[in-house]
Amino acid sequence: MDKIKLIITQVVHFLEEGKHSIEEVQQKLDEMTIAINELQNEFYQNDSEIETVARDSIGITVEEILQYFELDIDIEDALRKREW
């Protein structure tokens, strides 16, 4: 979970840099989601997976980030690349 936290934190730092277009933010969210997807393979190698609680937590965290930065992006769009 520390790796997931680091990936999400990178998005927050990106947003803190200043004004970005919605397209740029969506691209960063897609990159974040793909990186989390890739971690899922690591979980599988260790006979684990990103469980339901973790999936929900990621979704809630991303939704809170969108709200905090007042970004008009639907959570389903924000996580559109997810495979978990």
Side-chain angles (χ1 to χ4, degrees), residues 20-63:
H20 298 285
S21 71
I22 292 293
E23 292 79 16
E24 291 171 320
V25 173
Q26 183 62 62
Q27 175 64 35
K28 197 66 167 176
L29 291 167
D30 288 345
E31 291 170 10
M32 174 202 73
T33 305
I34 291 167
I36 294 171
N37 290 344
E38 291 171 358
L39 283 179
Q40 187 161 280
N41 292 329
E42 190 175 317
F43 279 93
Y44 287 150
Q45 290 171 358
N46 292 300
D47 294 324
S48 187
E49 64 180 61
I50 299 175
E51 59 196 49
T52 303
V53 173
R55 283 179 247 170
D56 291 344
S57 178
I58 293 167
I60 290 167
T61 300
V62 171
E63 196 164 33

